[in-house]
């Protein structure tokens, strides 16, 4: 049965990718002399990682919440094409791209390192390793959530408490073994994956509550940000580390902000797709959403290229926060351009996650604006409606998927 198109969730994708890029840009281009302030900012930009898993789980569950045994072959076939194949392709691309500067002792050493990267994920690609782990348990999770539909609130509370306990154990090394390699495993992100799946079952109720309490959500998120920063600076100044320390995203002091930031990102997505928005803005949102996966996959191509070009040296003539902000924009737009180009080749699916587009169409926002103009507001295309405020208030106009 066709479901409503979740345009406001789609709108979250490019913003979340911008957050991921911001973390990486600060890592490589912020001056070492400003490491304290840089780490303070990165403490908050790390939420994009949790947002990635929440959004992925929400969208997947929304599409497959009725998954049964008969649909497993189709489900895993599509996941193979959408995630496993791009993961392997980009693992090879990054290996070859970085090979000239890696200076491996031998071919055997190079192949051994490549095997490790495939197993654990090169840099940002480990996100996909975790998502593939989630796919393994997804059918069982759907069965469980369907049978416990009346107890989802309790499940979220239990998951939240378990997450706090786990973060405490990991950050304070109460059980040291939990620290080793867990950043690239399913467990530290289970709360966001479970919560994203639960949210998909109750999207209308979640949407209505968030929209009705938008100011409260924003205020609490800002307060949580100040709280997380206060904990960071208390530790940095040597006052106390009992509440947390460093820019480690795996600590209880950051959890309230992470949850609030994801909620605020959703509200921003709702705002971006409200009726009355210009076609150009709607096209830009659509373009960002369509290309966000490719931006995620390709971002380190451009970051590494800027590193090799000595881009960081520009901080001697450009204020470094402005330089980093410009770098985020450059990397994001370069990723959009590359993805739009690759989407018009036979390698579109394995390299961008998009279906191949015809060369006859222009690339970028102009093409997306043309696609938007082909749809009339208020129409229902392919059974897809837009979930915004309750139907008696407003419903976002459809945009081509």
């Amino acid at each position: 049965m066709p479901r409503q198109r979740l345009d406001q969730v789609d709108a979250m994708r490019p913003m979340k990718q911008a957050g991921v890029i911001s973390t990486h840009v600060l890592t490589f281009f912020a001056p070492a002399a400003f490491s304290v302030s840089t780490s303070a900012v990165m403490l908050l930009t790390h939420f994009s990682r949790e947002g990635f898993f929440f959004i992925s789980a929400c969208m997947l569950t929304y599409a497959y919440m009725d998954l049964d045994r008969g649909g497993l072959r189709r489900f895993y076939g599509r996941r193979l094409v959408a995630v496993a194949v791009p993961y392997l392709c980009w693992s090879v691309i990054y290996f070859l791209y970085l090979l000239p500067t890696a200076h491996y002792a031998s071919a055997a050493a190079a192949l051994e390192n490549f095997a490790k990267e495939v197993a654990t994920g090169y840099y940002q690609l480990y996100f996909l390793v975790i998502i593939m782990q989630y796919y393994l348990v997804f059918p069982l999770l759907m069965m469980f959530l369907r049978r416990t539909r009346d107890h989802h609130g309790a499940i979220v509370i239990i998951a939240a408490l378990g997450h706090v306990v786990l973060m405490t154990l990991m950050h304070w090394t109460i059980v040291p073994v939990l620290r080793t390699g867990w950043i690239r495993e399913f467990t530290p992100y289970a709360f966001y994956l479970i919560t994203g799946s639960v949210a998909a079952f109750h999207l209308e109720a979640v949407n209505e509550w968030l929209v009705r309490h938008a100011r409260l959500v924003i205020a609490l998120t800002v307060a949580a940000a100040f709280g997380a920063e206060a904990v960071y600076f208390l530790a940095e100044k040597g006052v106390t580390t009992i509440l947390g320390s460093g820019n480690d995203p795996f600590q209880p002091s950051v959890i309230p902000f992470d949850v609030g930031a994801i909620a605020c990102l959703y509200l921003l997505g709702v705002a971006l797709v409200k009726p009355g928005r210009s076609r150009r803005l709607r096209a830009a949102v659509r373009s960002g959403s369509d290309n966000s996966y490719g931006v995620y996959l390709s971002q380190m191509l451009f970051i590494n290229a800027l590193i090799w070009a000595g881009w960081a040296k520009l901080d001697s003539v450009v204020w470094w926060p402005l330089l980093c902000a410009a770098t985020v924009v450059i990397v994001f737009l370069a990723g959009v351009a590359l993805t739009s180009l690759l989407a018009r080749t036979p390698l579109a699916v394995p390299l961008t996650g998009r279906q191949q587009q015809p060369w006859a169409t222009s690339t970028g926002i102009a093409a997306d604006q043309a696609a938007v103009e082909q749809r009339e507001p208020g129409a229902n295309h392919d059974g897809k409606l837009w979930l915004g405020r309750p139907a008696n208030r407003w419903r976002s106009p459809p945009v081509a998927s």
Side-chain angles (χ1 to χ4, degrees):
M1 177 180 179
R3 299 189 185 277
Q4 295 173 324
R5 178 178 170 84
L6 305 179
D7 192 42
Q8 75 280 23
V9 180
D10 278 341
M12 297 170 68
R13 294 180 183 274
M15 295 183 286
K16 173 257 299 176
Q17 296 301 355
V20 174
I21 294 172
S22 297
T23 300
H24 298 160
V25 166
L26 288 170
T27 299
F28 291 106
F29 297 105
F34 296 93
S35 60
V36 173
S37 54
T38 301
S39 294
V41 175
M42 290 175 62
L43 181 70
L44 303 184
T45 61
H46 276 305
F47 92 91
S48 56
R49 177 166 53 194
E50 283 70 24
F52 180 96
F53 296 120
F54 178 91
I55 294 171
S56 298
C58 181
M59 295 294 279
L60 188 69
T61 301
Y62 189 75
Y64 290 100
M65 66 174 61
D66 297 326
L67 180 67
D68 55 20
R69 185 176 299 178
L72 288 180
R73 176 175 295 182
R74 180 172 179 270
F75 170 77
Y76 281 114
R78 296 189 67 174
R79 295 305 94 200
L80 176 68
V81 172
V83 177
V85 172
Y87 174 77
L88 291 174
C89 288
W90 279 96
S91 294
V92 172
I93 290 171
Y94 280 118
F95 173 72
L96 297 176
Y97 183 64
L98 299 171
L99 192 58
T101 59
H103 306 299
Y104 294 111
S106 64
L111 292 176
E112 181 181 358
N113 185 75
F114 174 67
K116 289 180 180 179
E117 286 191 352
V118 170
T120 60
Y122 165 76
Y123 217 76
Q124 84 281 12
L125 294 185
Y126 79 88
F127 286 24
L128 299 186
V129 175
I130 295 168
I131 286 296
M132 285 187 280
Q133 294 171 13
Y134 172 67
Y135 293 159
L136 295 178
V137 302
F138 181 77
L140 294 177
L141 179 62
M142 289 303 97
M143 184 186 303
F144 173 73
L145 291 179
R146 287 196 299 266
R147 293 183 177 181
T148 60
R149 189 183 292 266
D150 295 334
H151 306 285
H152 285 175
I155 291 172
V156 170
I157 292 173
I158 293 171
L161 292 175
H163 185 62
V164 171
V165 171
L166 182 60
M167 294 303 99
T168 302
L169 295 175
M170 292 176 65
H171 183 70
W172 278 271
T173 62
I174 295 174
V175 182
V177 70
L178 295 182
R179 297 284 296 171
T180 305
W182 272 41
I183 190 174
R184 294 173 181 264
E185 295 176 8
F186 169 91
T187 317
Y189 312 101
F191 169 65
Y192 299 98
L193 291 165
I194 293 172
T195 305
S197 291
V198 170
F201 277 83
H202 310 279
L203 270 178
E204 290 190 14
V206 171
N207 175 84
E208 181 176 359
W209 191 92
L210 287 174
V211 172
R212 289 182 186 276
H213 300 87
R215 292 183 179 180
L216 175 63
V217 170
I218 295 170
L220 290 176
T221 303
V222 172
F226 278 111
E229 292 295 335
V231 169
Y232 170 80
F233 281 106
L234 284 174
E236 179 63 30
K237 298 300 182 181
V239 177
T240 179
T241 60
I242 192 171
L243 299 175
S245 62
N247 68 345
D248 183 2
F250 295 123
Q251 52 185 323
S253 61
V254 187
I255 296 173
F257 171 76
D258 289 341
V259 174
I262 293 171
C264 287
L265 205 64
Y266 179 88
L267 289 171
L268 184 55
V270 170
L272 286 173
V273 300
K274 284 180 64 174
R277 299 304 187 196
S278 69
R279 284 176 173 152
R280 181 168 292 276
L281 176 60
R282 289 161 55 199
V285 171
R286 178 182 182 271
S287 178
S289 175
D290 287 347
N291 293 305
S292 62
Y293 190 27
V295 170
Y296 156 76
L297 292 167
S298 65
Q299 60 182 278
M300 291 306 297
L301 289 180
F302 307 108
I303 290 177
N304 278 301
L306 291 173
I307 292 172
W308 296 335
W311 183 259
K313 295 179 181 178
L314 290 177
D315 66 1
S316 61
V317 293
V318 179
W319 187 39
W320 73 267
L322 183 60
L323 178 65
C324 287
T327 306
V328 172
V329 174
I330 291 171
V331 172
F332 188 90
L333 293 180
V336 169
L338 178 62
T339 302
S340 295
L341 178 64
L342 291 174
R344 285 155 178 81
T345 72
L347 297 175
V349 174
L351 295 186
T352 73
R354 297 183 61 181
Q355 294 297 319
Q356 184 176 354
Q357 306 295 310
W359 282 102
T361 62
S362 57
T363 60
I365 293 176
D368 292 319
Q369 185 175 0
V372 168
E373 291 171 351
Q374 293 175 1
R375 305 277 186 163
E376 294 183 1
N380 180 8
H381 299 278
D382 300 326
K384 294 179 180 178
L385 296 175
W386 299 84
L387 182 65
R389 278 188 182 268
N392 62 338
R393 298 196 175 193
W394 59 263
R395 188 185 299 279
S396 304
V399 181
S401 60

